[in-house]
Amino acid sequence: MSKNSEKPQGMGTFGGVFTPSVLTILGLVLFLRLGYVVGTVGLWQTLLIIGLASLVSVLTSISLAAVATNIEVKSGGVYYIISRTLGVAYGGAIGLVLFVALAVSVGFYCVGFAEGVTATFDITTPFAAQGIAAAAVLLMAVIAWFGSDLATRVQYVVMAFLVFSLISFGMGAWGHWDNSRLVAALGPNQGWIGFWPAFAIFFPAVTGFTQGVNMSGDLADPVRSIPRGTAYAVGLSILVYVVVAVLLAGAVPRGILTFDYGAMRNVAAFGPLIDAGIFAATLSSALASLMGAPRILQSLAKDKVFPFLAVFGVGHGPSDNPRNGILLIALGTVALGNLNVIASVVAMFFVVTYGLLNYATYFEASGRSPSFRPALSWYDPRLSLVGGLVSLGVMLAINLTAGLVAIAVILAVYQYLQSTATEARWADGQRSYELQAVRDNLLAASARPEHARDWRPQILAFSNDEARRERLLRFAAWIEGHSGLTTVIRILEGKGRRARRELALAEKALERDLAAKGLTAFPLVVSATDLDVAVPVAVQSVGIGPTRINTVLLNWLDPAKRTEDPEQAKRFLGNLHASFLLGFNLVVFDAHEDDWERLTATRPAARTIDIWWSDNATGRLMLVLAYLMTRNTDWRGAPIRVITAHAETDVDLRKAELEEELKSVRIAAEVIVLPIGDDRLEGLIGQSADSAIVFVPLGIREQEFTDWLGTPLANILPRLPIVALVMAAEEMDLSADPDQAEISD
């Protein structure tokens, strides 16, 4: 038997989504507060309030439908949608606060039920309301304990009472209808509350439309049921609120509407049915919240977002009923008692959730991933963006302070999860969004003319030596200065099936190596029959648009290998020279193990960066790379020294000129000018012997590497610390004057 056939049937659209949603929307506000709103601000403004408040639910419902018809919404409802779109941190933050909001709502609804009972039956016994509320919570918990099937049957009964109460009111209101009352109730009642306070009173009426979504794990077909059930519930509820508002305006005198919260009962054909409707509305809302909240908690626990919630991930029975969560809410609600202190903040949790749900949908759609294919062919991402902005506006209009507190709580949980949550086991929409942003930005950058001020190191690092790779790529990250990109490449010589197999293994090994050492570089492995052909092709091919490489980086050839295999040294030099002639800057890195250990044991501010200055493109490139190094934490505060040699009679003048040049290009460095003499090289080596790293201009003469004076490097490198040999193939404009014309081909 397949897994699908073993799965329980699940609930349908009517019982699983429409019923809990519509019963929560048509709640206490409808019976006890709508008349007051009509009486104070008038019918026209009331209809505007209904329309504006409903706009949030309509737009959010569209976003829900877009997501629900694109992916299967599993257990967790809104939490599941946001976590699979914006990632674990946003999803976890929203899931936790939404659980709290729903859990606290259980208490609010049961307190409302208790107050209605005591008022209807004139019960004045001390603490009677608290006892009735606690009993109501426990009763709802018992129903939820036995699963969604029993809860759905109870909700059908509740819905029947709700329908009968509305019919009773409609019949009675029609009998009391008076056109003059309707006309008198059109405008606002002067001296009473204004539009936005009335809006704040009414808005909680539209916060229940996601109750069905929270039951997503219990639905037989969530892709079909969530959008349809939510749309039907929202549409019907808007119609009911509009009709009831008009009937109240035409059937009840304005003075009664303003002062008597029981106006609906007074005009109903059978008043007790209104009481039954109030009781039904409060208990059904409490039951819907008590069904949804534990499922969000269970989903959070199963996703291991908060390890301490693991006990609430356990389900019972074929429907995986989250009884531990139900028990937590029941006991917690009864124990806390008065929850009015945080009522306003809890209401804002819902508004922020709707805003983020809209933004999550817009975010997913903006990624333009080929996998985003909602069944709503007419869906436009701008609808979700407007929904998010309207939610934000509603939050500001209702209660700015409570809204800011709610946002602060969500951000605090988000920051906690950002720093502690382990890597998610699911795919979210962030990578699609980032890839789309890369595409758009690359196209935009390519459309603009290239300019010297835009230059940044785009590095291709050749590394076949795993033992020295980490040092090379650490250096690459330093000279990037958080502004460039590094691609590390391995070239495997070979052909045929064996070469392809080795290529696949080498790619995985390189990826593992980079991840294990925390190195930020893009891995690339290339298979070629001839290394000397592959290198020029690789340097010309890596990158895309404005991110094509401009600098080739590699380790200095191991001296032992150079002695043992002169042919390898010749190929090394030849490939470097070929890259230079193709227009790429060269940086050759030489770091021995003992020098590296000394460097890592030295605090950043005690590390000195030396530049053996040459007044040309190479000198300017070295200066930029040295400056970029100081942007890194490992080199923050490290002094830069520019060292050069000049005629003895002009030392002070040359030093002043260099200092002025450095000042004009905004790079802080100490200038050291040595007098020219027979021991010029010895003077340079003596100055830099204790430095952390030395940038030395590279030369290639007569098939040999030299410094810029023609001295063979084999005579220099053993006497220096870590060395970066640099040869610039492109001119560097350190001033980066924005008025200068763009770089021409």
Side-chain angles (χ1 to χ4, degrees):
M1 184 180 291
S2 67
K3 286 185 177 182
N4 290 337
S5 61
E6 294 174 356
K7 184 179 177 179
Q9 180 66 30
M11 295 185 294
T13 301
F14 185 79
V17 180
F18 174 81
T19 300
S21 297
V22 79
L23 289 180
T24 308
I25 299 172
L26 301 179
L28 287 176
V29 172
L30 174 67
F31 289 99
L32 300 178
R33 294 294 182 268
L34 184 59
Y36 175 77
V37 172
V38 173
T40 53
V41 300
L43 180 60
W44 290 129
Q45 289 195 28
T46 299
L47 295 179
L48 182 59
I49 287 171
I50 293 173
L52 182 58
S54 299
L55 183 62
V56 175
S57 57
V58 169
L59 291 174
T60 308
S61 298
I62 292 173
S63 296
L64 268 174
V67 175
T69 58
N70 185 64
I71 61 172
E72 180 184 353
V73 182
K74 299 178 182 177
S75 180
V78 173
Y79 155 72
Y80 183 89
I81 292 171
I82 293 178
S83 65
R84 268 55 176 182
T85 304
L86 297 181
V88 64
Y90 274 116
I94 285 297
L96 187 64
V97 300
L98 186 57
F99 161 74
V100 171
L102 288 171
V104 172
S105 295
V106 174
F108 289 148
Y109 291 129
C110 288
V111 168
F113 168 76
E115 290 177 353
V117 170
T118 55
T120 301
F121 298 103
D122 196 23
I123 300 174
T124 59
T125 306
F127 303 109
Q130 291 89 330
I132 294 172
V137 171
L138 295 176
L139 175 61
M140 296 301 101
V142 169
I143 295 172
W145 183 270
F146 289 102
S148 56
D149 289 342
L150 177 60
T152 300
R153 288 194 289 271
V154 170
Q155 286 184 329
Y156 288 156
V157 175
V158 170
M159 179 171 280
F161 278 108
L162 184 63
V163 170
F164 289 139
S165 66
L166 290 174
I167 292 174
S168 174
F169 166 72
M171 293 172 59
W174 188 252
H176 289 78
W177 183 268
D178 187 332
N179 290 332
S180 61
R181 289 175 183 167
L182 178 66
V183 173
L186 291 177
N189 197 352
Q190 301 300 324
W192 291 84
I193 62 173
F195 179 85
W196 290 112
F199 181 88
I201 291 173
F202 177 81
F203 185 77
V206 301
T207 60
F209 65 94
T210 57
Q211 293 287 17
V213 182
N214 296 329
M215 299 296 294
S216 55
D218 293 74
L219 300 175
D221 187 1
V223 172
R224 180 178 182 273
S225 295
I226 288 176
R228 292 191 178 191
T230 305
Y232 295 154
V234 169
L236 178 62
S237 300
I238 293 173
L239 178 62
V240 169
Y241 273 106
V242 169
V243 171
V244 171
V246 172
L247 289 175
L248 284 169
V252 183
R254 190 157 195 170
I256 295 177
L257 286 177
T258 306
F259 291 101
D260 187 0
Y261 288 160
M264 285 184 68
R265 188 181 194 281
N266 295 335
V267 299
F270 184 61
L273 275 178
I274 300 299
D275 296 330
I278 294 172
F279 300 157
T282 52
L283 290 181
S284 65
S285 297
L287 181 58
S289 297
L290 192 52
M291 293 297 292
R295 283 159 175 78
I296 293 175
L297 186 65
Q298 184 183 46
S299 188
L300 281 166
K302 286 185 175 181
D303 284 343
K304 301 179 181 178
V305 178
F306 300 96
F308 56 85
L309 296 178
V311 66
F312 299 106
V314 179
H316 297 269
S319 63
D320 203 29
N321 194 28
R323 289 181 174 176
N324 293 347
I326 294 170
L327 187 62
L328 171 69
I329 295 172
L331 296 178
T333 303
V334 172
L336 288 174
N338 187 4
L339 301 169
N340 290 326
V341 177
I342 59 172
S344 57
V345 175
V346 168
M348 290 301 102
F349 283 162
F350 286 109
V351 183
V352 175
T353 299
Y354 302 154
L356 270 179
L357 180 59
N358 279 293
Y359 175 70
T361 310
Y362 172 76
F363 183 87
E364 179 81 11
S366 299
R368 298 186 181 181
S369 170
S371 66
F372 185 72
R373 301 185 298 275
L376 300 180
S377 57
W378 50 267
Y379 171 74
D380 189 314
R382 288 172 293 188
L383 292 172
S384 297
L385 179 60
V386 171
L389 294 175
V390 171
S391 299
L392 177 62
V394 165
M395 182 192 70
L396 298 177
I398 292 178
N399 192 326
L400 177 59
T401 302
L404 293 177
V405 171
I407 291 175
V409 171
I410 291 172
L411 287 178
V413 179
Y414 170 82
Q415 290 296 334
Y416 167 76
L417 290 175
Q418 278 284 80
S419 60
T420 62
T422 56
E423 185 177 352
R425 303 187 309 277
W426 61 80
D428 55 46
Q430 293 196 63
R431 193 168 187 269
S432 289
Y433 184 86
E434 288 157 358
L435 288 173
Q436 184 65 27
V438 168
R439 175 190 180 275
D440 293 343
N441 289 328
L442 281 175
L443 290 173
S446 297
R448 297 181 181 273
E450 186 180 357
H451 194 279
R453 70 182 303 177
D454 304 323
W455 188 91
R456 55 192 62 213
Q458 309 291 357
I459 300 169
L460 181 63
F462 286 86
S463 175
N464 273 346
D465 188 344
E466 184 177 350
R468 296 197 294 166
R469 182 178 300 140
E470 181 176 4
R471 296 199 293 268
L472 182 73
L473 295 182
R474 296 284 180 209
F475 176 71
W478 292 339
I479 62 175
E480 278 181 21
H482 303 295
S483 65
L485 299 171
T486 297
T487 299
V488 56
I489 184 172
R490 287 193 61 194
I491 298 179
L492 304 179
E493 288 188 276
K495 59 182 179 179
R497 183 177 301 173
R498 181 178 179 182
R500 290 195 296 272
R501 188 163 52 249
E502 290 178 352
L503 176 68
L505 294 174
E507 285 178 339
K508 293 186 180 299
L510 185 56
E511 289 174 0
R512 286 195 300 269
D513 187 41
L514 296 178
K517 295 171 181 174
L519 299 169
T520 54
F522 297 106
L524 176 64
V525 180
V526 175
S527 179
T529 56
D530 189 333
L531 177 68
D532 299 331
V533 173
V535 170
V537 172
V539 297
Q540 295 177 86
S541 305
V542 174
I544 180 171
T547 64
R548 296 180 76 87
I549 69 156
N550 54 34
T551 302
V552 172
L553 170 67
L554 66 166
N555 279 308
W556 174 248
L557 190 63
D558 190 332
K561 292 183 179 178
R562 186 179 183 188
T563 303
E564 296 168 1
D565 189 356
E567 186 61 30
Q568 184 181 10
K570 184 178 178 180
R571 295 178 75 187
F572 180 81
L573 185 146
N575 285 319
L576 268 182
H577 196 203
S579 300
F580 175 76
L581 293 176
L582 287 168
F584 297 95
N585 304 315
L586 303 182
V587 180
V588 183
F589 186 61
D590 184 38
H592 299 290
E593 187 68 35
D594 52 349
D595 292 325
W596 188 263
E597 290 177 357
R598 277 197 301 272
L599 174 66
T600 54
T602 307
R603 59 188 178 89
R607 300 171 177 176
T608 301
I609 304 172
D610 280 356
I611 300 170
W612 287 9
W613 178 256
S614 59
D615 192 7
N616 54 24
T618 295
R620 288 183 280 277
L621 176 59
M622 292 191 298
L623 189 60
V624 170
L625 297 180
Y627 163 73
L628 289 173
M629 287 184 67
T630 62
R631 285 184 171 183
N632 293 270
T633 305
D634 292 339
W635 292 88
R636 191 154 296 155
I640 299 174
R641 301 194 306 175
V642 175
I643 307 173
T644 188
H646 208 67
E648 291 187 25
T649 55
D650 296 330
V651 166
D652 292 337
L653 178 60
R654 182 56 182 147
K655 181 177 180 181
E657 290 174 345
L658 262 178
E659 287 175 342
E660 185 61 28
E661 184 176 347
L662 291 172
K663 183 179 179 181
S664 69
V665 299
R666 308 170 305 285
I667 295 179
E670 178 188 359
V671 175
I672 299 175
V673 181
L674 304 175
I676 293 177
D678 294 337
D679 58 350
R680 178 180 184 180
L681 183 61
E682 292 299 323
L684 290 168
I685 292 174
Q687 285 286 338
S688 298
D690 296 326
S691 298
I693 188 168
V694 185
F695 284 88
V696 176
L698 174 66
I700 300 177
R701 297 183 184 179
E702 298 179 357
Q703 302 299 311
E704 186 174 24
F705 290 109
T706 68
D707 68 1
W708 80 112
L709 299 174
T711 308
L713 291 178
N715 300 336
I716 300 175
L717 296 182
R719 304 175 62 190
L720 288 173
I722 297 173
V723 175
L725 303 161
V726 180
M727 179 185 288
E730 55 183 338
E731 186 56 55
M732 299 294 299
D733 178 13
L734 296 182
S735 66
D737 182 359
D739 293 326
Q740 177 186 328
E742 65 269 14
I743 298 173
S744 59
D745 294 334

